[in-house]
Amino acid sequence: MRKILFPILGLALLLAWPFVAEKIGSPALITLFTRMMILGLAASALNIALGFGGLVSLGHAAFYGIGAYAIGISTTHAISGEPFLGLVSGSNLLIVNVLVAVVVSGMAAAIIGALALRTSGIQFIMITLAFAQMVFFLFLALKAYGGDDGLTFRRRNALFDLNMRDDATFFYVTLGFLLVWLGICARVLHSRFGLLLGGIRQNERRMQAIGVNTFRLKWFAFIISGMGAGLAGALMANLGRFVSPDLMHWTTSGELLIMCVLGGSGTILGPVLGAFALIGLEATLNTWTEHWQAILGPLLVLMVLAFRGGLARIGGRKP
Amino acid sequence: MTLVLEQLLNGVQLGVMLFLLAAGLTLVFGIMGVINLAHGSLYMVGAYAAALAAKMTGSFLLAIPAGLAAAALTGMAVEYLVIRHLYARDHLDQVLATFGLILFFNQMIILLFGRQPIFVQIPPFLSGAIDLGLFPYPIYRLCIIAAGLLSAAALYFLIQRTRLGMLVRAGATHREMVQALGVDIRLLYTIVFGLGALLAGFAGLMAGPLLSVQVGMGEQILIMTFVVVVIGGLGSVAGAFWGALLVGLVDTSLRAFLPQIMRGFMAGSEADALASGISAMGVYLLMALVLLIKPKGLFPGHA
Amino acid sequence: MKTMRMMAVAAAAFCAAGAVQAQEPLKIGMITTLSGPGGYLGQDIRDAFQLAIDMQGGKLGGVPVQVLVEDDGLKPGQGKQISEKFMKTDKVKLLTGIVFSNVALAVVPDVLEDGGIYVSPNAGPSNLAGKECHANYYVVSWQNDSLHESAGSNANNLGYKKAFILAPNYPAGKDALEGFKRAFKGEVIGEVFTKLDQNDFAAEIAQIRAAKPDFIFQFHPGGAGIAFLRQYQQAGLLDTVPMVVPSPSMDAVTLKAIGEAAVGVNVSAQWNNDLDNAANKAFVEAWKKKYNDRPITYYASQGYDTALAIGAALKGTGGKVDDAKAFRTAMLKADFASVRGNFKFGNNQHPVQDWYSMKVVKGDGGAPIIKTMGKISSNTGDFYAKDCKL
């Protein structure tokens, strides 16, 4: 029962949230929750590689950032009217841009994954970090697209005739994307592919022995995971109408990992829960004291020590 | 030619600093299997404690033991309170908990010392430059090189020739066996962690007069240290040594020579910007290359 | 009759409510950087801003004010989140405080679009100074490029000819070198971009030694600047190849961290704690009384001036910020005694002010101080003002 009950309650709360936020006089909470959902989507994307594929990537900020930059670059080209690299013109349509973002970040994940998957364990953590750092420094030095200052664009991308400027509308658009993504996750993970992936996580050698091409499966998982992160980046770029290399800083990768672990890696809803918990905690502590990190730090440590397996598994079965 | 020699010396100096940090990290990983993101915080603790001691006593020589002791004690306390509970966990939990420690340490330093970078005097007898015949070179940097190489030698002796070192080596390859032979593995772990912290603190207190002692100084060097450890091969102190020298030399020479080379192909300021971009990515590129050729690093420790 | 009385009661209640509201302090939102290595900049701005309020008895321009402060952590996204909360939940109209340009570029356009007013105490990025200038956007500190142009002029005045210049490889660093070259009349014989998070400069220092310039210009704010200067001095170069820096590379805090090694460095800035004017003396005295020997930085002076500028505007509008036009009229008069002496707003609402040449010398007590040597230029505006159509 509770397996269905909690998600439905959560969804109901989210659907009602913009009205609640207006009622209690804090409309800023709408965008805060939009941010949480977007980061939840990113964490859930990371979770495909991490929780289901057992691939600990400390470089997902790269895909997240690339997705965001795809939006930023396409939109600024659409505004200026100059084609990108003199070839392709930019676009101002959300659907087009999101597709571009997902494809581009998927390609990046395909390249990085193909190289990184030759290693495993800590080396895998570090090589993904290394690639992400290279991407970070690349965008930092890219003066044509703002470098450290980033890119600002005035309007969110258009979706049908919706008033995207309205934060509540964008909230529901984001919620829509999140639900679609979670649906895809559930589909993929319960498919033959998902089961094989789980098998690899538990014992790769055995899977190889029964004739599974484990490298290819892990590679696919990594690519899907990168595409999801790119989707999240695309939404984040639209939320803030702003992109900067700050999105790809290694601490972003770290935070995504924390969300997964906090919420429960290897569960479908856990990472989203983790994102809500972490961002909510940060936002609350920041209003209490400027030394909020002195509280958040030990709290994280305690949570690791106390809750094994993450929030999504509290009271549930052991992982 | 003299410029090349000077730059090589600079590379070695950066290398030995990295080694001091990497040695602790790789030992802790090799023996306990723990990734410690908060290793940079211990470096910071060493630097702050030494700066404080130097300010209170006015003596650089007293600052050295203060910095070492503070870092080692903090390290052992962290091991006792937090890390000890993470041995059986997977790397993810370790990353999460030690990330929390970073936040905590940074904020505690702000509460205790404020946000302003603090002053550290270079000891008068080590200031200035000495003429090496071909070019003048700062005495302090030469001292860092000497101290780093000495530490490396001492560590080699400790690991290869003492009983503790034997346990460390055995622990790195056959953890369960060591435990089964009745060694107090908990104590060994605490000692090893303290030793790693001590080395990090040593690097921190030496970096104090050269760099700036401020909040977040640990994270700046942490990633570079991880690069070294991974290139060298996790768990291998010798690997950390050679990895550190390699990274130090590659990083320095890219910064020093790439702009000139690039200027041969393109306009001045574009070449500078591009060269700087490439050298910023240089060490990561190096790591990626090494891992693609040798996925376990240059000197792999245990399997 | 009954209805009349009811209305009277309602009116009285309404008036009372109005009176209560009038006494409620005006909220000013301060988004600033308090965590990380750049945290002291935000801290100084915040504390000096509050100091100005305290000195006026909890008011600015006779209007009671309350400052809401939150830490952006040098993350543009977080800055945006805070500004949204300030404007929508706390109904704040007037914002200030951002230290770093990348945060300002993310936050300021949104604030302006939502009808807010932003007064910058520090960052003055070029993107917002020229064509994109805005009627409700004021900069009290400086336009970023002015810092480096003043350093270039300073080098001209000092008679230097051959320059070697260095800055980190990111837009602010590139702007620094551009700005310097715009004003410097001599020859640039070497140009080096350092890494953004670099703090060991041995390789660059060796290149400088080999190039033998008359002087070097370097822009490395915060910790990297401290490291650079120390290493430069330890290499024995500071005596033979002098250094010219803009103010962010040598403030009172970095000076305290470097100590005697900094003696001889040439700095240029729009303010110094030894400037001889009444407003400055009052400010320095109040700061010392409250914070004892805590160094007093340019950022503090800018935070203080920002508070005074806002106070003058509030006085002009009687404490109202809803009418942005009236606020603008009052603000642009700049009817306050700035701690830097001459101060007015240019057509792009950035400062037109004097720049001073300074040098680090040994102070009376032994600790080095930044001493004002003379004026570099008077009533100087910025390069981008001509593109602003306000």
Side-chain angles (χ1 to χ4, degrees):
Chain A
M1 250 324 264
R2 43 185 300 158
K3 225 180 151 184
I4 311 176
L5 188 66
F6 281 126
I8 286 181
L9 272 178
L11 182 61
L13 181 71
L14 280 180
L15 282 171
W17 186 251
F19 301 101
V20 176
E22 287 287 354
K23 255 288 177 289
I24 59 174
S26 330
L29 286 179
I30 300 176
T31 44
L32 180 68
F33 270 58
T34 315
R35 246 162 72 96
M36 289 173 171
M37 288 194 291
I38 295 174
L39 282 162
L41 202 162
S44 142
L46 170 61
N47 194 34
I48 297 221
L50 175 79
F52 297 102
L55 306 166
V56 183
S57 158
L58 193 50
H60 261 54
F63 311 126
Y64 178 66
I66 287 173
Y69 261 93
I71 298 284
I73 291 174
S74 173
T75 311
T76 42
H77 277 290
I79 293 167
S80 71
E82 276 171 45
F84 174 66
L85 295 178
L87 298 170
V88 208
S89 62
S91 164
N92 207 9
L93 300 172
L94 186 68
I95 296 294
V96 176
N97 279 351
V98 161
L99 274 176
V100 171
V102 169
V103 168
V104 173
S105 47
M107 286 192 319
I111 298 167
I112 293 177
L115 296 171
L117 282 169
R118 296 165 55 108
T119 66
S120 60
I122 307 257
Q123 281 87 355
F124 182 80
I125 302 183
M126 289 300 146
I127 199 167
T128 45
L129 171 68
F131 281 115
Q133 286 293 94
M134 286 187 233
V135 175
F136 171 73
F137 281 114
L138 178 72
F139 279 95
L140 202 62
L142 207 60
K143 203 177 176 189
Y145 294 110
D148 185 43
D149 288 345
L151 281 174
T152 312
F153 46 97
R154 299 288 358 117
R155 234 175 285 144
R156 288 188 184 136
N157 292 161
L159 180 67
F160 311 120
D161 286 334
L162 294 175
N163 174 16
M164 296 292 274
R165 184 77 184 85
D166 178 43
D167 287 330
T169 310
F170 193 71
F171 176 92
Y172 287 116
V173 170
T174 308
L175 182 58
F177 273 108
L178 179 65
L179 291 177
V180 170
W181 170 258
L182 291 176
I184 294 175
C185 279
R187 269 308 279 264
V188 166
L189 293 168
H190 291 129
S191 68
R192 184 171 167 273
F193 169 75
L195 297 176
L196 286 174
L197 202 59
I200 294 173
R201 192 185 73 237
Q202 280 161 15
N203 192 335
E204 183 162 357
R205 280 219 193 130
R206 192 191 303 156
M207 296 310 277
Q208 273 167 342
I210 60 171
V212 176
N213 184 345
T214 57
F215 180 90
R216 219 174 62 184
L217 279 172
K218 286 195 288 182
W219 190 47
F220 284 161
F222 195 78
I223 294 174
I224 297 173
S225 173
M227 289 167 119
L231 171 62
L235 292 172
M236 187 56 101
N238 264 296
L239 173 69
R241 289 163 293 144
F242 172 75
V243 294
S244 83
D246 165 63
L247 294 168
M248 321 185 188
H249 197 257
W250 71 274
T251 47
T252 308
S253 299
E255 276 166 18
L256 291 179
L257 275 183
I258 291 178
M259 290 167 191
C260 281
V261 180
L262 199 58
S265 61
T267 61
I268 287 182
L269 291 177
V272 183
L273 205 62
F276 273 76
L278 186 70
I279 309 275
L281 208 57
E282 275 184 16
T284 319
L285 291 178
N286 196 354
T287 51
W288 286 354
T289 163
E290 61 180 88
H291 298 293
W292 56 277
Q293 293 186 337
I295 305 175
L296 182 66
L299 219 52
L300 283 179
V301 175
L302 281 179
M303 280 195 243
V304 174
L305 297 182
F307 306 142
R308 299 190 70 163
L311 297 174
R313 291 202 183 89
I314 291 179
R317 64 200 159 86
K318 285 274 172 220
Chain B
M1 194 56 212
T2 56
L3 186 62
V4 175
L5 280 178
E6 186 177 352
Q7 298 292 24
L8 289 181
L9 209 51
N10 288 332
V12 171
Q13 186 256 310
L14 179 60
V16 299
M17 284 294 270
L18 287 172
F19 166 70
L20 288 178
L21 279 158
L25 206 59
T26 208
L27 271 180
V28 168
F29 181 78
I31 296 165
M32 290 104 111
V34 167
I35 308 188
N36 177 20
L37 288 188
H39 198 64
S41 298
L42 300 167
Y43 166 83
M44 178 171 72
V45 167
Y48 268 92
L52 184 68
K55 193 179 167 195
M56 280 165 56
T57 63
S59 155
F60 181 72
L61 293 175
L62 283 177
I64 297 178
L68 294 178
L73 290 176
T74 311
M76 291 203 270
V78 163
E79 196 274 343
Y80 185 77
L81 291 173
V82 180
I83 308 283
R84 173 165 292 191
H85 308 282
L86 296 170
Y87 293 140
R89 303 292 190 86
D90 61 9
H91 295 322
L92 263 179
D93 283 353
Q94 298 164 355
V95 166
L96 178 52
T98 50
F99 190 83
L101 287 176
I102 293 184
L103 296 183
F104 175 73
F105 275 113
N106 279 347
Q107 213 58 41
M108 286 323 272
I109 289 284
I110 287 184
L111 282 168
L112 291 173
F113 293 90
R115 299 183 171 90
Q116 291 78 3
I118 62 172
F119 171 70
V120 186
Q121 169 113 42
I122 193 163
F125 54 94
L126 293 180
S127 66
I130 189 170
D131 201 344
L132 293 181
L134 298 164
F135 52 86
Y137 200 74
I139 299 172
Y140 192 72
R141 281 184 192 268
L142 284 176
C143 285
I144 291 182
I145 297 179
L149 293 177
L150 275 178
S151 315
L155 203 58
Y156 179 82
F157 178 80
L158 184 75
I159 291 177
Q160 298 295 334
R161 295 276 186 273
T162 63
R163 185 180 148 74
L164 177 69
M166 189 185 75
L167 291 176
V168 165
R169 274 179 292 143
T173 43
H174 303 287
R175 201 178 312 171
E176 291 80 9
M177 189 60 88
V178 174
Q179 212 161 354
L181 288 172
V183 174
D184 184 352
I185 203 90
R186 288 191 139 192
L187 184 67
L188 177 68
Y189 283 1
T190 310
I191 291 174
V192 169
F193 202 87
L195 180 67
L198 183 94
L199 290 170
F202 190 40
L205 74 92
M206 285 202 300
L210 197 62
L211 312 176
S212 75
V213 178
Q214 63 178 346
V215 173
M217 63 188 284
E219 284 88 88
Q220 284 179 340
I221 201 156
L222 175 75
I223 295 195
M224 203 69 151
T225 310
F226 267 110
V227 169
V228 166
V229 169
V230 170
I231 286 181
L234 287 157
S236 155
V237 176
F241 182 75
W242 296 115
L245 284 186
L246 183 64
V247 167
L249 286 170
V250 166
D251 186 60
T252 307
S253 10
L254 278 178
R255 279 188 288 138
F257 304 122
L258 198 60
Q260 272 99 325
I261 299 171
M262 300 292 273
R263 253 176 252 158
F265 302 104
M266 54 179 84
S269 90
E270 269 173 53
D272 290 338
L274 189 62
S276 156
I278 295 176
S279 56
M281 293 186 238
V283 291
Y284 303 108
L285 215 57
L286 177 71
M287 173 159 97
L289 279 177
V290 167
L291 285 186
L292 291 177
I293 298 162
K294 299 196 73 168
K296 293 274 172 203
L298 295 176
F299 299 84
H302 68 103
Chain C
M1 196 55 208
K2 210 174 171 187
T3 9
M4 281 290 282
R5 196 183 300 152
M6 287 259 295
M7 275 173 74
V9 171
F14 185 76
C15 287
V20 168
Q21 234 155 31
Q23 272 172 4
E24 211 167 81
L26 174 76
K27 282 181 188 160
I28 299 176
M30 179 175 277
I31 305 162
T32 197
T33 305
L34 295 172
S35 47
Y40 77 89
L41 281 73
Q43 192 184 11
D44 282 357
I45 289 171
R46 178 196 64 187
D47 290 347
F49 195 93
Q50 191 59 49
L51 182 68
I53 297 172
D54 294 348
M55 284 166 74
Q56 300 185 21
K59 296 175 180 176
L60 281 180
V63 180
V65 293
Q66 180 197 355
V67 188
L68 310 174
V69 184
E70 277 196 42
D71 175 17
D72 62 36
L74 189 39
K75 291 183 193 156
Q78 195 160 337
K80 263 189 132 112
Q81 187 67 44
I82 299 170
S83 79
E84 214 144 284
K85 200 180 102 207
F86 278 165
M87 292 192 69
K88 289 186 181 154
T89 304
D90 300 315
K91 311 284 179 219
V92 173
K93 189 94 196 284
L94 184 58
L95 289 102
T96 181
I98 300 175
V99 179
F100 292 97
S101 292
N102 57 343
V103 181
L105 283 169
V107 172
V108 172
D110 270 15
V111 170
L112 299 176
E113 192 167 313
D114 292 344
I117 298 170
Y118 185 79
V119 186
S120 174
N122 199 62
S126 56
N127 316 32
L128 299 173
K131 256 191 284 185
E132 307 268 314
C133 62
H134 194 283
N136 297 330
Y137 171 65
Y138 310 87
V139 174
V140 178
S141 47
W142 21 253
Q143 198 283 312
N144 289 357
D145 292 33
S146 310
L147 295 168
H148 312 295
E149 287 162 14
S150 76
S153 307
N154 197 17
N156 293 337
N157 292 353
L158 292 165
Y160 296 142
K161 298 282 182 275
K162 281 194 295 184
F164 194 103
I165 59 182
L166 310 96
N169 188 26
Y170 71 122
K174 289 173 187 169
D175 288 349
L177 298 191
E178 287 305 312
F180 175 83
K181 284 193 276 187
R182 197 179 294 139
F184 180 58
K185 297 200 179 74
E187 181 197 358
V188 175
I189 60 165
E191 193 172 335
V192 164
F193 287 109
T194 53
K195 275 195 288 186
L196 189 58
D197 56 355
Q198 185 174 338
N199 54 21
D200 188 336
F201 297 96
E204 289 75 14
I205 290 170
Q207 286 179 56
I208 296 170
R209 192 200 309 281
K212 296 193 177 62
D214 282 354
F215 74 107
I216 68 161
F217 164 78
Q218 60 97 2
F219 168 67
H220 290 95
I226 296 175
F228 187 95
L229 230 152
R230 273 196 192 144
Q231 293 165 25
Y232 192 73
Q233 191 264 351
Q234 280 163 28
L237 273 175
L238 196 55
D239 304 325
T240 49
V241 184
M243 186 186 288
V244 173
V245 297
S247 53
S249 298
M250 177 56 72
D251 59 46
V253 166
T254 46
L255 178 62
K256 199 174 172 196
I258 299 167
E260 269 184 33
V263 169
V265 172
N266 298 292
V267 197
S268 54
Q270 82 289 0
W271 171 88
N272 196 9
N273 61 359
D274 65 1
L275 287 189
D276 190 18
N277 65 60
N280 194 35
K281 280 182 182 150
F283 165 55
V284 172
E285 195 184 318
W287 178 277
K288 281 189 177 151
K289 206 166 144 199
K290 188 159 179 193
Y291 297 111
N292 301 320
D293 57 351
R294 178 169 148 197
I296 169 167
T297 57
Y298 313 108
Y299 319 111
S301 81
Q302 291 155 201
Y304 185 81
D305 264 356
T306 303
L308 294 190
I310 290 175
L314 291 179
K315 197 173 178 186
T317 63
K320 290 197 184 64
V321 290
D322 298 328
D323 184 353
K325 239 182 192 160
F327 185 87
R328 179 164 182 244
T329 315
M331 184 82 177
L332 288 181
K333 279 186 200 146
D335 187 17
F336 66 98
S338 164
V339 293
R340 15 188 148 155
N342 290 335
F343 180 95
K344 56 184 196 240
F345 283 110
N347 67 313
N348 59 347
Q349 307 185 167
H350 284 56
V352 172
Q353 58 189 345
D354 303 348
W355 287 85
Y356 298 90
S357 159
M358 303 160 191
K359 202 175 177 99
V360 178
V361 297
K362 272 191 186 151
D364 297 331
I369 54 163
I370 303 176
K371 189 172 176 226
T372 308
M373 307 303 284
K375 243 181 211 184
I376 298 172
S377 62
S378 297
N379 292 320
T380 316
D382 64 88
F383 180 71
Y384 300 95
K386 60 180 173 15
D387 300 327
C388 174
K389 299 277 184 303
L390 278 177

